[in-house]
């Protein structure tokens, strides 16, 4: 298939050089999508239908056989050899069971080692004499060591995950899922499915995956290309709100960031933007040739009031006002017996008198300057925050020493979210067809609004775990979060079956749930791995670092990736100790290889990452590194649940009380 595309000759099929460039780019993308992937087989399953799909279920009718794979593959004659996992005919591979065989006589799973076929496993779903069994190949694939970036899970998608993956484009979905339930994989595979089912529409409107940080995005970036999807953009929320020339050089105290992220700030900004409109008090005189046309102040005021009542952006209304004024002048011209046309109206709208009037009545607003003034001018802030923010909250917002200009200001990440909100009040933000928002529990209401602006006319897949909310502004409920996102009608689904974290490890971490997220259903892991959890105390604090290094060396004797997770304040000490011990390490976001499998992970960057074996340094230090105990325990919960095969917890200080219950 790739060679067929490479051999295409487009010299005589394009009308001009522009068409040739566009067509060649499309061909290059197609070749890239058909690239061979090392250790990735073209198919992983087979379905034998009792009857041909879509045919009458008559006795004696012949069935059909389909191989299921990551990509559609056809032979030289164009006949299908492998069916795309997203095709409707592939669905029973994930959902059929002994109780609901879905007309499947046989489901075969193939096992691979290094890209070579090494095993297969059959289930005769329509045979009442064969008992239901747990697939060993499925379990082995789930437990396969993790080296390198995140992999696709098309061979192991579970029925409850498949229902979410194949949900329609028109509706938004929110997935609450504990550690190891595969919510990130569900979100990415849903994008792949939607691109398959609605390719033309999403090619026009675009798709976007939003992650919590660059390390996370680097970890997941190969999943969609492995499925042949190369056009999906990836970004963090900070990337979305970035503005040319505005660099994040400042940081906010936690209490200040909470206020800046509060949804009430949207109304403060709205009031501040609208306050620029002034009531006309003088009539407008427009000169055309030898004639003068007068528009009285009351008529100008009516125009302004009508535009203010309409639900349009400040900038759009400002652009409409000169045309409204020009139309009023044209009416007077017609009443005087003249016959003006659209060109005359445009000329009047662009006249110096009209421009001056619009500048006075409806001046231009620069979002960054507006936010600069709000954070610098106590009187301006008090005027627009009245009855919304308390005096103490207003004091938290104000800079101790105001900056002179937009460029000299030390903007924080939360400030750029405010500027993004103000920008949208002036000019509508472009909407995409579908947005996936991962680790959503950590967003502030204003950040949710920033994401929601990118999918006002599209849909969203929201992924997260309330128990893993580790910011002071973390969301308290999905209903509240979805309201800020602008998707209050989104379907809320919960994944509670864990496939990644061993049962012993998730049970240990779940001791924290009553303290960090009461009422949340604990994850029930399907994997029982005896000996996967080790908790070891060290008598002296001075011995802890040496014990951690020894544990890392011991973990490296196993196959797979190793993550050493520690409080941010401990990273430099551990880094020095690892190098002194001759154990080179990677930073989060750097790709693990067979030669370099140890990653040193600050607790603040652990979210969304996973390792075969995790060594966790000093739980109490992780808790103490956060502004409050609840946030600290949530951070610890995240760190405890990064292991796929084994977790070693080492501590010199007393363990948090919540872990001992």
């Amino acid at each position: 298939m790739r060679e067929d595309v490479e051999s295409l000759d487009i010299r005589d099929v394009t009308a001009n050089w522009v068409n040739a460039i566009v067509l060649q780019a499309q061909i290059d993308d197609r070749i890239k999508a058909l690239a061979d992937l090392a250790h990735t087989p073209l198919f992983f399953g087979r379905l034998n239908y009792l009857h041909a799909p879509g045919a009458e279920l008559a006795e004696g009718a012949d069935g059909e056989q389909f191989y299921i794979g990551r990509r559609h593959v056809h032979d030289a004659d164009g006949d299908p050899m492998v069916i795309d996992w997203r095709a409707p005919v592939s669905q029973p591979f994930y959902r059929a069971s002994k109780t609901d065989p879905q007309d499947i006589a046989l489901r075969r799973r193939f096992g691979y080692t290094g890209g070579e076929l090494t095993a297969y496993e059959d289930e005769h779903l329509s045979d009442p004499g064969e008992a239901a069994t747990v697939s060993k190949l499925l379990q082995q694939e789930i437990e396969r060591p993790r080296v390198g970036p995140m992999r696709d899970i098309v061979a192991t998608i579970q029925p409850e995950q498949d229902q979410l993956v194949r949900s329609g484009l028109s509706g938004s979905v929110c997935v609450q899922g504990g550690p190891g339930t595969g919510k990130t994989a569900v979100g990415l595979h849903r994008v792949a499915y939607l691109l398959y089912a609605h390719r033309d529409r999403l090619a026009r409107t675009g798709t976007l995956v939003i992650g919590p940080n660059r390390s996370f995005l680097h970890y997941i970036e190969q999943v969609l290309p492995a499925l042949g999807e190369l056009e999906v953009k990836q970004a963090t929320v900070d990337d979305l709100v970035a503005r040319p020339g505005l660099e994040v050089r400042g940081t906010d105290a936690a209490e200040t960031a909470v206020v800046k992220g509060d949804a009430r700030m949207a109304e403060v900004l709205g009031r501040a933007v609208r306050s620029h409109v002034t009531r006309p008090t003088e009539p407008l005189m427009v000169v055309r040739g030898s004639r003068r046309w007068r528009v009285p102040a009351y008529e100008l005021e009516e125009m302004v009031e009508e535009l203010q009542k309409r639900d349009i952006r400040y900038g759009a209304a400002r652009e409409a006002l000169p045309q409204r004024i020009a139309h009023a002048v044209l009416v007077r011209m017609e009443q005087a017996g003249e016959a003006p046309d659209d060109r005359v109206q445009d000329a009047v709208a662009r006249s110096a008198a009209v421009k001056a009037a619009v500048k006075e009545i409806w001046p231009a607003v620069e979002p960054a300057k507006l936010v600069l003034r709000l954070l610098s001018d106590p009187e301006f802030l008090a005027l627009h925050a009245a009855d919304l923010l308390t005096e103490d909250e207003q004091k938290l917002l104000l800079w101790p020493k105001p900056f002179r200009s937009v460029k000299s200001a030390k903007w924080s990440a939360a400030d750029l979210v405010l500027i993004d909100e103000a920008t949208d009040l002036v000019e509508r933000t472009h909407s995409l067809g579908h947005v996936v928002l991962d680790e959503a529990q950590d967003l502030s209401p204003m950040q949710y609004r920033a994401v929601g602006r990118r999918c006002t006319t599209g849909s969203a897949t929201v992924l997260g775990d309330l128990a893993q909310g580790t910011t002071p502004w973390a969301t308290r409920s999905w209903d509240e979060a979805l309201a800020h996102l602008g998707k209050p009608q989104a379907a809320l689904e919960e994944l509670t079956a864990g496939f990644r974290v061993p049962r012993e490890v998730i049970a240990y971490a779940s001791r924290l749930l009553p303290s960090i997220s009461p009422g949340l259903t604990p994850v029930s892991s399907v994997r029982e791995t005896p000996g996967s959890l080790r908790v070891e105390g060290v008598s002296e604090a001075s011995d802890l670092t040496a014990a951690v290094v020894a544990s890392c060396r011991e973990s490296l004797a196993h196959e797979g990736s190793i993550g050493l997770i520690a409080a941010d304040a401990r990273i430099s000490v551990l880094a020095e100790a690892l190098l002194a011990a001759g154990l080179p390490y990677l930073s989060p976001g750097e790709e693990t290889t067979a030669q370099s499998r140890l990653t040193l992970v600050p607790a603040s960057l652990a979210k969304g990452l996973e390792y075969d074996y995790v060594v966790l340094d000093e739980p109490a230090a992780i808790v103490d590194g956060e502004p409050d105990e609840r946030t600290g325990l949530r951070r610890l919960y995240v760190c405890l649940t990064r292991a796929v095969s084994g977790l070693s917890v080492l501590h010199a200080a007393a363990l948090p009380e919540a872990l001992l219950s």
Side-chain angles (χ1 to χ4, degrees):
M1 290 170 65
R2 185 176 64 252
E3 288 169 356
D4 286 345
V5 181
E6 289 173 338
S7 65
L8 290 174
D9 185 352
I10 64 171
R11 286 176 295 181
D12 298 326
V13 298
T14 55
N16 53 55
W17 66 272
V18 176
N19 288 350
I21 291 175
V22 172
L23 184 56
Q24 187 60 53
Q26 293 174 340
I27 290 173
D28 292 343
D29 285 344
R30 176 68 172 162
I31 293 170
K32 193 184 299 182
L34 288 170
D36 287 324
L37 297 175
H39 311 308
T40 301
L42 287 175
F43 62 92
F44 50 80
R46 194 182 95 190
L47 289 177
N48 285 30
Y49 275 80
L50 289 171
H51 308 84
E56 295 291 332
L57 304 184
E59 289 293 334
D62 293 331
E64 285 192 63
Q65 172 180 292
F66 301 96
Y67 285 88
I68 312 300
R70 288 165 175 77
R71 301 293 311 280
H72 169 84
V73 181
H74 60 250
D75 61 18
D77 297 323
D79 294 325
M81 299 177 68
V82 179
I83 305 298
D84 194 300
W85 66 277
R86 298 167 286 189
V89 76
S90 303
Q91 184 171 310
F93 185 79
Y94 303 106
R95 297 200 195 179
S97 64
K98 292 292 291 186
T99 56
D100 181 21
Q102 299 188 17
D103 201 43
I104 300 300
L106 178 142
R107 174 168 57 199
R108 174 169 290 178
R109 299 182 191 275
F110 295 97
Y112 291 86
T113 302
E116 294 187 359
L117 178 64
T118 54
Y120 69 89
E121 184 180 75
D122 289 346
E123 297 172 89
H124 298 86
L125 298 178
S126 297
D127 182 358
E130 182 179 290
T133 58
V134 177
S135 170
K136 292 183 179 179
L137 286 181
L138 190 65
Q139 189 169 351
Q140 289 172 4
E141 174 63 22
I142 291 172
E143 296 177 1
R144 185 155 57 99
R146 268 94 171 138
V147 175
M150 181 180 178
R151 305 187 302 260
D152 66 76
I153 61 162
V154 289
T156 62
I157 293 174
Q158 300 300 295
E160 62 270 27
Q161 295 174 328
D162 189 64
Q163 290 179 355
L164 295 172
V165 167
R166 296 177 193 266
S167 56
L169 176 61
S170 59
S172 294
V173 177
C174 177
V175 181
Q176 157 65 40
T181 55
K183 56 185 179 295
T184 296
V186 165
L188 294 174
H189 287 69
R190 186 176 183 221
V191 170
Y193 172 77
L194 292 175
L195 286 168
Y196 175 88
H198 308 277
R199 188 167 302 280
D200 290 344
R201 178 177 170 184
L202 290 177
R204 293 192 306 270
T205 56
T207 51
L208 175 67
V209 174
I210 302 173
N213 52 57
R214 280 279 143 206
S215 299
F216 177 84
L217 291 179
H218 183 74
Y219 177 62
I220 68 170
E221 68 183 356
Q222 295 303 317
V223 174
L224 289 169
L227 301 174
E229 303 300 345
L230 306 174
E231 300 302 318
V232 180
K233 293 181 173 59
Q234 298 182 353
T236 64
V237 174
D238 289 345
D239 294 333
L240 294 186
V241 301
R243 290 288 181 276
L246 299 185
E247 186 179 345
V248 175
R249 296 186 297 139
T251 56
D252 291 317
E255 58 269 25
T256 300
V258 168
V259 178
K260 288 182 178 180
D262 195 291
R264 292 172 294 168
M265 288 302 300
E267 178 57 26
V268 174
L269 289 165
R271 290 178 180 180
V273 169
R274 294 189 295 270
S275 71
H276 288 75
V277 179
T278 58
R279 182 176 177 176
T281 56
E282 298 291 334
L284 171 64
M285 197 69 67
V286 177
V287 178
R288 286 285 298 173
S290 60
R291 302 292 300 272
R292 302 175 66 181
W293 307 97
R294 181 177 182 274
V295 182
Y298 76 86
E299 193 169 340
L300 293 173
E301 187 174 0
E302 288 174 356
M303 295 178 195
V304 170
E305 289 179 354
E306 193 272 334
L307 285 171
Q308 287 179 317
K309 289 177 182 177
R310 295 182 59 191
D311 185 23
I312 58 175
R313 297 300 193 270
Y314 181 92
R318 185 175 187 274
E319 291 176 1
L321 182 57
Q323 290 293 335
R324 298 293 177 89
I325 296 172
H327 178 72
V329 172
L330 257 66
V331 169
R332 285 163 171 76
M333 289 181 176
E334 291 170 348
Q335 290 172 343
E338 297 189 17
D341 56 18
D342 290 344
R343 289 175 298 178
V344 174
Q345 179 168 328
D346 289 339
V348 172
R350 293 194 303 269
S351 66
V354 172
K355 283 184 177 180
V358 171
K359 184 178 180 180
E360 180 71 24
I361 298 168
W362 210 294
V365 171
E366 294 185 33
K369 286 186 177 180
L370 178 78
V371 175
L372 180 78
R373 187 179 177 190
L374 276 172
L375 301 180
S376 305
D377 186 340
E379 292 183 3
F380 187 67
L381 175 62
L383 177 64
H384 301 300
D387 70 35
L388 286 174
L389 303 177
T390 66
E391 290 186 9
D392 288 340
E393 288 173 325
Q394 292 177 38
K395 289 178 182 177
L396 288 173
L397 290 177
L398 291 166
W399 284 320
K401 184 179 179 182
F403 298 99
R404 292 185 177 181
S405 68
V406 167
K407 288 190 175 181
S408 67
K410 290 186 177 180
W411 299 108
S412 69
D415 294 335
L416 293 194
V417 178
L418 297 179
I419 294 172
D420 189 72
E421 178 83 27
T423 302
D424 185 70
L425 290 167
V426 175
E427 183 178 351
R428 187 179 296 277
T429 304
H430 172 69
S431 175
L432 299 165
H434 191 77
V435 170
V436 174
L437 175 61
D438 205 353
E439 301 296 349
Q441 72 280 345
D442 275 337
L443 268 60
S444 70
M446 292 298 286
Q447 288 175 318
Y448 277 116
R449 291 176 61 87
V451 174
R453 286 192 281 279
R454 272 76 185 178
C455 55
T456 50
T457 59
S459 55
T461 300
V462 181
L463 311 164
D465 179 11
L466 295 177
Q468 296 186 58
T470 51
T471 55
W473 50 83
T475 188
R476 293 183 290 271
S477 75
W478 289 123
D479 287 343
E480 180 181 311
L482 292 170
H484 294 311
L485 191 70
K487 305 292 181 186
Q489 304 303 319
L492 179 58
E493 306 287 347
E494 188 170 9
L495 294 175
T496 58
F499 304 99
R500 176 175 57 79
V501 185
R503 186 176 303 173
E504 295 79 3
V505 174
I506 195 65
Y508 184 69
S510 294
R511 294 180 182 182
L512 299 174
L513 286 180
S515 300
I516 62 177
S517 198
L520 203 63
T521 304
V523 171
S524 177
S525 178
V526 301
R527 295 181 53 210
E528 189 167 0
T529 312
S532 56
L533 174 66
R534 179 169 67 97
V535 180
E536 181 181 328
V538 178
S539 57
E540 297 293 334
S542 57
D543 297 332
L544 178 60
T545 300
V548 168
V549 171
S551 185
C552 289
R553 193 183 299 278
E554 181 182 330
S555 297
L556 285 166
H558 299 290
E559 186 181 4
S561 57
I562 315 298
L564 169 55
I565 304 178
D568 291 29
R570 286 271 294 162
I571 292 298
S572 59
V573 173
L574 293 172
E576 186 177 336
L578 289 173
L579 293 178
L583 294 179
Y585 62 88
L586 302 169
S587 298
E590 294 183 295
E591 190 170 314
T592 55
T593 65
Q595 293 73 37
S596 188
R597 298 183 289 122
L598 174 62
T599 303
L600 178 58
V601 187
S604 60
L605 296 181
K607 191 169 298 179
L609 305 178
E610 60 181 27
Y611 303 93
D612 288 290
Y613 293 88
V614 167
V615 177
L616 185 67
D617 171 86
E618 197 61 278
I622 293 174
V623 176
D624 293 342
E626 300 299 327
D628 58 84
E629 184 183 29
R630 187 183 187 192
T631 304
L633 290 174
R634 286 184 167 185
R635 182 76 69 189
L636 178 59
Y637 180 75
V638 170
C639 297
L640 287 169
T641 53
R642 301 303 95 199
V644 175
S645 297
L647 170 67
S648 297
V649 179
L650 289 92
H651 65 98
L655 290 171
E657 191 172 331
L659 263 185
L660 303 175
S661 57

